[in-house]
Amino acid sequence: ELKVEQNPLFLSMQEGKNYTIYCNYSTTSDRLYWYRQDPGKSLESLFVLLSNGAVKQEGRLMASLDTKARLSTLHITAAVHDLSATYFCAAQETSGSRLTFGEGTQLTVNP
Amino acid sequence: NAGVTQTPKFRVLKTGQSMTLLCAQDMNHEYMYWYRQDPGMGLRLIHYSVGEGTTAKGEVPDGYNVSRLKKQNFLLGLESAAPSQTSVYFCASSPGRKDQPQHFGDGTRLSIL
C-alpha cells in the first residue's frame, strides 16, 4: 500500500525567505503531483513530475523528484504573501490509476 | 469550458437520510474519482471509475455507493447518512495519462446532524 508523508505540516515563514517542503512516499512510483489549495477552494495542479531527476519551476516554486530516494521537494524562493495556501503532494503507483495524497502543508507567509 | 462541476455545493442532512452527489465533466475524460477531505487527513479516495460503466473501491468506500452510467457523470450516493460522513467531498477527472493531472471540482460541503 502506497503511503505519502509530507513535512512540515505547518509552515510559517517571512516574506523574502526560502524554504522547502518534503514529500516522501513508500513504494515505487514514477509519477508525483503537486497541488495547491486556497482556503475553501478546490485543488489546483502545480506540477507533474514523471522521471527521476525531474525538475520543474513556475515563478517562485520549484519541484523536484528523486525516485531512488522516493522523495519529492517543493522549494519556495523569496516567499510572498500570495503563496499562502495548503500544498499537497500526491503519488501514483506505477501500475495503478489511483492517487495517494499527503496530509498537506499549510503555508503562511507573513509580511 | 466548465471543467468539473459538482452539485450541490452545500447540503445539511439528518442522520439516516439519503442523498446523491452529482459530478459532471465536459473534458471527455475517461477516469473519474470521488474523494473526501477532512481536517488533517488530506484527501482520501472513496470510489473511482476508469470508464463508463465501471467502478472500483478506494481507500474509504464503506457507506457510499457510486454509478457511472454516462461517461461525463459520476454519482456518489449515501444510503443512510451518518455524522462521520460530515466532510467536504471533491470529484476529480483525468484522461488517464500519467502526464496529465487530475482536475478537481469546487467541492460539496456536507453536514450530517
Side-chain angles (χ1 to χ4, degrees):
Chain A
E1 179 185 351
L2 178 60
K3 295 186 185 300
V4 179
E5 293 186 352
Q6 286 181 238
N7 70 84
L9 299 183
F10 299 93
L11 176 56
S12 180
M13 54 191 299
Q14 287 185 317
E15 282 190 329
K17 299 294 186 181
N18 304 333
Y19 209 84
T20 300
I21 299 171
Y22 297 88
C23 175
N24 292 91
Y25 54 95
S26 61
T27 63
T28 302
S29 172
D30 64 352
R31 54 198 80 175
L32 196 293
Y33 306 85
W34 284 96
Y35 289 87
R36 168 181 171 146
Q37 185 181 37
D38 292 302
K41 302 294 186 182
S42 183
L43 279 79
E44 172 191 358
S45 176
L46 293 174
F47 300 108
V48 177
L49 303 168
L50 299 178
S51 61
N52 187 43
V55 177
K56 290 195 174 179
Q57 183 164 3
E58 180 73 31
R60 301 175 187 275
L61 301 178
M62 183 174 71
S64 66
L65 179 62
D66 181 343
T67 58
K68 294 180 181 179
R70 296 178 182 167
L71 171 69
S72 180
T73 61
L74 181 66
H75 187 73
I76 303 155
T77 301
V80 293
H81 180 68
D82 285 352
L83 291 179
S84 296
T86 299
Y87 293 86
F88 291 95
C89 66
Q92 186 168 334
E93 293 180 8
T94 303
S95 60
S97 55
R98 302 163 41 164
L99 282 184
T100 299
F101 281 80
E103 293 179 35
T105 297
Q106 186 176 321
L107 171 65
T108 303
V109 181
N110 303 303
Chain B
N1 189 350
V4 179
T5 302
Q6 292 183 231
T7 309
K9 296 189 184 305
F10 304 93
R11 186 73 183 266
V12 178
L13 290 178
K14 294 181 179 179
T15 297
Q17 288 185 318
S18 63
M19 79 162 294
T20 300
L21 280 64
L22 171 64
C23 177
Q25 53 96 4
D26 61 2
M27 297 173 283
N28 201 36
H29 285 172
E30 287 294 332
Y31 292 11
M32 296 187 74
Y33 307 82
W34 275 108
Y35 295 90
R36 60 178 288 173
Q37 183 176 32
D38 301 294
M41 301 187 74
L43 278 77
R44 293 182 292 168
L45 182 65
I46 305 171
H47 286 280
Y48 64 104
S49 167
V50 298
E52 180 180 319
T54 76
T55 63
K57 293 181 180 180
E59 181 184 355
V60 288
D62 293 343
Y64 305 95
N65 56 75
V66 288
S67 65
R68 183 110 181 259
L69 299 180
K70 294 183 178 181
K71 185 177 183 178
Q72 64 267 33
N73 296 335
F74 196 29
L75 278 63
L76 177 71
L78 284 72
E79 294 179 343
S80 180
S84 61
Q85 294 177 305
T86 293
S87 188
V88 180
Y89 292 85
F90 284 98
C91 176
S93 72
S94 80
R97 290 171 42 186
K98 66 179 185 178
D99 62 334
Q100 295 295 316
Q102 292 182 12
H103 296 261
F104 284 80
D106 289 338
T108 295
R109 284 147 185 81
L110 182 61
S111 294
I112 315 293
L113 304 178

Coordinates of all heavy atoms in Angstrom, one line a residue, chain A residues 7-66:
Chain A
N7 N 6.3 16.8 5.1 CA 6.7 17.6 6.3 C 7.4 18.9 5.8 O 8.0 18.9 4.7 CB 7.6 16.8 7.2 CG 8.9 16.5 6.6 OD1 9.8 17.3 6.7 ND2 9.0 15.3 6.0
P8 N 7.2 19.9 6.5 CA 6.3 20.0 7.7 C 4.9 20.1 7.4 O 4.5 20.3 6.2 CB 6.8 21.3 8.4 CG 7.1 22.2 7.2 CD 7.8 21.3 6.2
L9 N 4.0 19.9 8.3 CA 2.6 20.0 8.1 C 2.1 21.5 8.2 O 1.1 21.9 7.6 CB 1.8 19.2 9.1 CG 2.0 17.7 9.0 CD1 1.2 16.9 10.0 CD2 1.9 17.1 7.6
F10 N 2.8 22.2 9.0 CA 2.5 23.7 9.2 C 3.8 24.4 9.0 O 4.9 24.0 9.5 CB 1.9 24.0 10.5 CG 0.6 23.3 10.8 CD1 0.6 22.0 11.4 CD2 -0.6 23.8 10.4 CE1 -0.6 21.4 11.6 CE2 -1.8 23.2 10.6 CZ -1.8 21.9 11.2
L11 N 3.8 25.5 8.2 CA 5.0 26.3 8.0 C 4.6 27.8 8.0 O 3.8 28.2 7.2 CB 5.6 25.9 6.6 CG 6.8 26.6 6.1 CD1 7.9 26.6 7.1 CD2 7.2 26.0 4.8
S12 N 5.2 28.5 8.9 CA 5.0 29.9 8.9 C 6.4 30.6 8.6 O 7.4 30.3 9.2 CB 4.6 30.4 10.3 OG 4.4 31.8 10.3
M13 N 6.4 31.4 7.6 CA 7.6 32.0 7.1 C 7.4 33.5 6.8 O 6.3 33.9 6.5 CB 8.2 31.2 6.0 CG 7.3 31.1 4.8 SD 7.9 29.9 3.5 CE 9.5 30.7 3.0
Q14 N 8.6 34.2 6.8 CA 8.5 35.6 6.5 C 8.7 35.8 5.0 O 9.3 35.0 4.3 CB 9.6 36.3 7.2 CG 9.4 36.5 8.7 CD 10.5 37.3 9.4 OE1 11.6 37.2 9.1 NE2 10.1 38.2 10.3
E15 N 8.1 36.9 4.5 CA 8.3 37.2 3.1 C 9.8 37.4 2.8 O 10.6 37.9 3.7 CB 7.6 38.5 2.8 CG 6.1 38.4 2.6 CD 5.4 39.6 2.0 OE1 5.9 40.8 2.3 OE2 4.4 39.5 1.3
G16 N 10.2 36.9 1.7 CA 11.6 37.1 1.2 C 12.5 35.9 1.6 O 13.6 35.7 1.1
K17 N 12.0 35.0 2.5 CA 12.8 33.8 2.9 C 12.5 32.7 1.9 O 11.6 32.6 1.2 CB 12.4 33.4 4.3 CG 12.6 34.5 5.3 CD 14.1 34.8 5.5 CE 14.4 35.8 6.6 NZ 15.8 36.1 6.8
N18 N 13.5 31.7 2.0 CA 13.4 30.5 1.2 C 13.0 29.3 2.2 O 13.5 29.3 3.3 CB 14.7 30.2 0.6 CG 15.2 31.3 -0.3 OD1 14.4 32.1 -0.8 ND2 16.5 31.4 -0.5
Y19 N 12.3 28.3 1.6 CA 12.1 27.1 2.4 C 11.7 26.0 1.5 O 11.4 26.2 0.3 CB 10.9 27.3 3.4 CG 11.1 26.5 4.6 CD1 11.9 26.9 5.7 CD2 10.4 25.3 4.7 CE1 12.0 26.1 6.8 CE2 10.6 24.5 5.8 CZ 11.4 24.9 6.9 OH 11.5 24.1 8.0
T20 N 11.8 24.7 2.0 CA 11.5 23.5 1.3 C 10.5 22.7 2.0 O 10.6 22.5 3.2 CB 12.8 22.7 1.0 OG1 13.7 23.5 0.3 CG2 12.5 21.5 0.2
I21 N 9.5 22.2 1.2 CA 8.6 21.2 1.7 C 9.0 19.8 1.2 O 9.3 19.7 0.0 CB 7.1 21.6 1.3 CG1 6.7 22.9 1.8 CG2 6.1 20.5 1.7 CD1 5.4 23.5 1.2
Y22 N 8.9 18.8 2.0 CA 9.4 17.5 1.6 C 8.2 16.5 1.5 O 7.2 16.6 2.3 CB 10.4 16.9 2.7 CG 11.6 17.8 2.8 CD1 11.7 18.9 3.6 CD2 12.7 17.5 2.0 CE1 12.8 19.6 3.7 CE2 13.9 18.2 2.0 CZ 13.9 19.3 2.9 OH 15.0 20.1 3.0
C23 N 8.3 15.6 0.6 CA 7.2 14.6 0.3 C 7.9 13.3 0.1 O 8.6 13.1 -0.9 CB 6.4 15.0 -0.9 SG 5.2 13.8 -1.4
N24 N 7.7 12.4 1.1 CA 8.2 11.0 1.0 C 7.1 10.0 0.6 O 6.0 10.2 1.2 CB 8.9 10.6 2.3 CG 10.1 11.4 2.6 OD1 10.1 12.4 3.2 ND2 11.3 10.9 2.2
Y25 N 7.4 9.1 -0.2 CA 6.4 8.0 -0.5 C 7.1 6.7 -0.3 O 8.3 6.5 -0.4 CB 5.8 8.2 -1.9 CG 6.8 8.3 -3.0 CD1 7.2 7.2 -3.7 CD2 7.4 9.5 -3.3 CE1 8.1 7.3 -4.8 CE2 8.3 9.6 -4.4 CZ 8.6 8.5 -5.1 OH 9.5 8.6 -6.1
S26 N 6.2 5.7 -0.1 CA 6.7 4.4 0.5 C 7.0 3.3 -0.5 O 7.8 2.4 -0.2 CB 5.7 3.8 1.5 OG 4.4 3.6 0.8
T27 N 6.4 3.4 -1.7 CA 6.6 2.3 -2.7 C 6.9 2.9 -4.0 O 6.8 4.1 -4.2 CB 5.4 1.4 -2.8 OG1 4.3 2.1 -3.3 CG2 5.0 0.7 -1.5
T28 N 7.3 2.0 -5.0 CA 7.7 2.5 -6.3 C 6.6 3.4 -6.9 O 5.5 2.9 -7.0 CB 8.1 1.3 -7.2 OG1 9.1 0.6 -6.5 CG2 8.6 1.8 -8.5
S29 N 7.1 4.5 -7.4 CA 6.1 5.4 -8.1 C 6.9 6.2 -9.2 O 8.1 6.6 -8.9 CB 5.4 6.4 -7.2 OG 4.7 7.3 -7.9
D30 N 6.4 6.3 -10.3 CA 7.0 7.1 -11.4 C 6.3 8.4 -11.7 O 6.5 8.9 -12.8 CB 7.3 6.2 -12.6 CG 6.0 5.8 -13.3 OD1 4.9 6.0 -12.7 OD2 6.1 5.3 -14.4
R31 N 5.4 8.7 -10.8 CA 4.6 10.0 -11.1 C 4.3 10.6 -9.8 O 3.7 10.0 -8.9 CB 3.4 9.6 -11.9 CG 2.5 8.6 -11.3 CD 1.5 8.0 -12.3 NE 2.2 7.0 -13.1 CZ 1.5 6.3 -14.0 NH1 0.2 6.5 -14.2 NH2 2.1 5.4 -14.7
L32 N 4.6 11.9 -9.7 CA 4.4 12.7 -8.5 C 3.8 14.0 -8.9 O 4.2 14.6 -9.8 CB 5.7 12.9 -7.8 CG 5.8 13.3 -6.3 CD1 5.3 14.7 -6.1 CD2 5.1 12.3 -5.4
Y33 N 2.7 14.4 -8.1 CA 2.0 15.6 -8.5 C 2.0 16.5 -7.3 O 1.9 16.1 -6.1 CB 0.5 15.2 -8.8 CG 0.4 14.2 -9.9 CD1 0.5 12.8 -9.6 CD2 0.2 14.6 -11.2 CE1 0.3 11.9 -10.6 CE2 0.1 13.6 -12.2 CZ 0.2 12.3 -11.9 OH 0.1 11.3 -12.9
W34 N 2.0 17.8 -7.6 CA 1.9 18.8 -6.5 C 0.6 19.7 -6.9 O 0.4 20.1 -8.0 CB 3.1 19.7 -6.5 CG 4.3 19.1 -5.8 CD1 5.3 18.5 -6.4 CD2 4.5 19.1 -4.4 NE1 6.2 18.0 -5.4 CE2 5.8 18.4 -4.2 CE3 3.9 19.6 -3.2 CZ2 6.3 18.2 -2.9 CZ3 4.4 19.4 -2.0 CH2 5.6 18.7 -1.8
Y35 N -0.1 19.9 -5.8 CA -1.3 20.7 -5.9 C -1.3 21.8 -4.9 O -0.7 21.7 -3.8 CB -2.6 19.9 -5.7 CG -2.9 18.9 -6.7 CD1 -2.4 17.6 -6.7 CD2 -3.8 19.2 -7.8 CE1 -2.7 16.7 -7.7 CE2 -4.2 18.3 -8.7 CZ -3.6 17.1 -8.7 OH -3.9 16.2 -9.7
R36 N -2.0 22.9 -5.2 CA -2.2 24.0 -4.2 C -3.7 24.1 -3.9 O -4.6 24.0 -4.8 CB -1.7 25.3 -4.8 CG -2.2 26.5 -4.1 CD -1.7 27.8 -4.7 NE -2.3 29.0 -4.0 CZ -1.7 30.1 -3.8 NH1 -0.5 30.3 -4.3 NH2 -2.3 31.1 -3.2
Q37 N -4.0 24.4 -2.7 CA -5.4 24.6 -2.3 C -5.5 25.9 -1.4 O -4.9 25.9 -0.4 CB -6.0 23.4 -1.5 CG -7.5 23.6 -1.2 CD -8.1 22.4 -0.5 OE1 -7.4 21.8 0.4 NE2 -9.3 22.0 -0.8
D38 N -6.3 26.8 -1.9 CA -6.6 28.0 -1.0 C -7.8 27.7 -0.2 O -8.6 26.8 -0.5 CB -6.9 29.2 -1.9 CG -5.7 29.7 -2.7 OD1 -4.7 30.0 -2.0 OD2 -5.7 29.7 -3.9
P39 N -7.9 28.4 1.0 CA -9.0 28.0 1.9 C -10.4 28.1 1.3 O -10.7 29.0 0.6 CB -8.9 29.1 3.0 CG -7.4 29.5 2.9 CD -7.0 29.4 1.5
G40 N -11.1 27.0 1.5 CA -12.5 26.9 1.0 C -12.6 26.7 -0.5 O -13.7 26.8 -1.1
K41 N -11.4 26.4 -1.2 CA -11.4 26.3 -2.6 C -11.0 24.9 -3.1 O -10.8 24.0 -2.3 CB -10.4 27.3 -3.2 CG -10.7 28.8 -2.8 CD -12.0 29.3 -3.4 CE -12.2 30.8 -3.2 NZ -13.5 31.3 -3.7
S42 N -11.0 24.8 -4.4 CA -10.7 23.5 -5.0 C -9.1 23.3 -5.0 O -8.4 24.2 -4.6 CB -11.2 23.4 -6.4 OG -11.0 22.2 -7.0
L43 N -8.7 22.2 -5.6 CA -7.3 21.9 -5.7 C -6.8 22.3 -7.1 O -7.5 22.0 -8.1 CB -6.9 20.5 -5.5 CG -6.8 20.0 -4.0 CD1 -8.2 19.8 -3.4 CD2 -6.0 18.7 -4.0
E44 N -5.7 23.0 -7.2 CA -5.2 23.5 -8.5 C -3.8 22.8 -8.7 O -3.0 22.7 -7.8 CB -4.9 25.0 -8.4 CG -4.2 25.6 -9.6 CD -3.7 27.0 -9.3 OE1 -4.0 27.5 -8.2 OE2 -3.0 27.6 -10.2
S45 N -3.7 22.2 -9.9 CA -2.5 21.5 -10.2 C -1.3 22.4 -10.4 O -1.4 23.5 -11.1 CB -2.7 20.7 -11.5 OG -1.5 20.1 -11.9
L46 N -0.2 22.1 -9.8 CA 1.0 22.9 -9.9 C 2.1 22.3 -10.8 O 2.6 22.9 -11.8 CB 1.7 23.2 -8.5 CG 0.9 24.0 -7.5 CD1 1.6 24.1 -6.2 CD2 0.7 25.5 -8.1
F47 N 2.4 21.0 -10.5 CA 3.5 20.3 -11.2 C 3.2 18.9 -11.3 O 2.5 18.3 -10.5 CB 4.8 20.4 -10.4 CG 5.3 21.8 -10.2 CD1 5.3 22.4 -8.9 CD2 5.8 22.6 -11.2 CE1 5.7 23.7 -8.7 CE2 6.2 23.9 -11.0 CZ 6.2 24.4 -9.8
V48 N 3.6 18.3 -12.5 CA 3.6 16.9 -12.7 C 5.1 16.4 -12.9 O 5.7 17.0 -13.8 CB 2.8 16.5 -13.9 CG1 2.8 15.0 -14.2 CG2 1.3 17.0 -13.8
L49 N 5.5 15.5 -12.1 CA 6.9 15.0 -12.2 C 6.9 13.6 -12.5 O 6.3 12.8 -11.8 CB 7.6 15.2 -10.8 CG 7.6 16.7 -10.3 CD1 8.1 16.8 -8.9 CD2 8.6 17.5 -11.2
L50 N 7.6 13.2 -13.6 CA 7.4 11.8 -14.1 C 8.7 11.0 -14.2 O 8.6 9.8 -14.5 CB 6.8 11.9 -15.6 CG 5.4 12.5 -15.7 CD1 4.9 12.6 -17.1 CD2 4.4 11.8 -14.8
S51 N 9.8 11.6 -13.9 CA 11.0 10.8 -14.0 C 12.0 11.2 -13.0 O 12.0 12.3 -12.4 CB 11.6 10.9 -15.4 OG 12.0 12.3 -15.6
N52 N 12.9 10.3 -12.7 CA 14.0 10.5 -11.7 C 14.8 11.8 -12.2 O 15.2 11.8 -13.3 CB 14.9 9.3 -11.5 CG 15.9 9.5 -10.4 OD1 15.5 10.0 -9.4 ND2 17.1 9.1 -10.7
G53 N 15.0 12.7 -11.2 CA 15.8 13.9 -11.6 C 14.9 15.0 -12.2 O 15.5 16.1 -12.5
A54 N 13.6 14.8 -12.4 CA 12.8 15.8 -13.0 C 12.8 17.0 -12.1 O 12.7 16.9 -10.9 CB 11.4 15.3 -13.2
V55 N 12.8 18.2 -12.7 CA 12.8 19.5 -12.0 C 11.9 20.4 -12.9 O 12.0 20.5 -14.1 CB 14.1 20.1 -11.9 CG1 14.0 21.5 -11.2 CG2 15.1 19.2 -11.1
K56 N 10.9 21.0 -12.2 CA 10.0 22.0 -12.8 C 9.9 23.2 -12.0 O 9.9 23.1 -10.8 CB 8.7 21.3 -13.1 CG 8.7 20.2 -14.1 CD 7.3 19.9 -14.6 CE 7.4 18.9 -15.8 NZ 6.0 18.6 -16.3
Q57 N 9.8 24.3 -12.7 CA 9.8 25.6 -12.0 C 8.7 26.5 -12.5 O 8.4 26.5 -13.7 CB 11.1 26.4 -12.1 CG 11.1 27.7 -11.3 CD 12.5 28.2 -11.1 OE1 13.5 27.6 -11.6 NE2 12.7 29.3 -10.3
E58 N 8.0 27.2 -11.6 CA 7.0 28.1 -12.0 C 7.0 29.3 -11.0 O 6.7 29.1 -9.9 CB 5.6 27.5 -12.0 CG 4.4 28.4 -12.4 CD 4.4 28.7 -13.9 OE1 4.8 27.8 -14.7 OE2 4.0 29.8 -14.2
G59 N 7.5 30.4 -11.5 CA 7.6 31.5 -10.6 C 8.6 31.3 -9.4 O 9.7 30.8 -9.6
R60 N 8.1 31.4 -8.2 CA 8.9 31.2 -7.0 C 8.9 29.8 -6.5 O 9.4 29.5 -5.5 CB 8.4 32.2 -5.9 CG 8.4 33.6 -6.3 CD 7.8 34.5 -5.2 NE 7.7 35.9 -5.7 CZ 8.7 36.8 -5.6 NH1 9.9 36.4 -5.0 NH2 8.6 38.0 -6.0
L61 N 8.2 28.9 -7.2 CA 8.1 27.5 -6.8 C 8.9 26.6 -7.8 O 8.9 26.8 -9.0 CB 6.7 27.0 -6.8 CG 5.7 27.8 -5.9 CD1 4.3 27.2 -6.1 CD2 6.1 27.7 -4.4
M62 N 9.7 25.7 -7.1 CA 10.4 24.7 -7.9 C 10.2 23.3 -7.3 O 10.4 23.2 -6.1 CB 11.9 25.0 -8.0 CG 12.7 24.1 -8.9 SD 14.4 24.6 -9.1 CE 15.0 24.3 -7.4
A63 N 9.8 22.4 -8.1 CA 9.6 21.0 -7.6 C 10.6 20.1 -8.3 O 11.0 20.2 -9.4 CB 8.2 20.5 -7.9
S64 N 11.0 19.0 -7.5 CA 12.0 18.0 -8.0 C 11.5 16.7 -7.5 O 10.8 16.5 -6.6 CB 13.4 18.3 -7.5 OG 13.4 18.2 -6.1
L65 N 12.1 15.6 -8.2 CA 11.7 14.3 -7.9 C 13.0 13.4 -7.9 O 13.8 13.4 -8.9 CB 10.7 13.7 -8.9 CG 10.3 12.3 -8.7 CD1 9.6 12.1 -7.4 CD2 9.4 11.8 -9.9
D66 N 13.2 12.6 -6.9 CA 14.2 11.6 -6.8 C 13.6 10.3 -6.5 O 13.2 10.0 -5.4 CB 15.2 12.0 -5.6 CG 16.3 11.0 -5.4 OD1 16.2 9.9 -6.0 OD2 17.3 11.4 -4.8

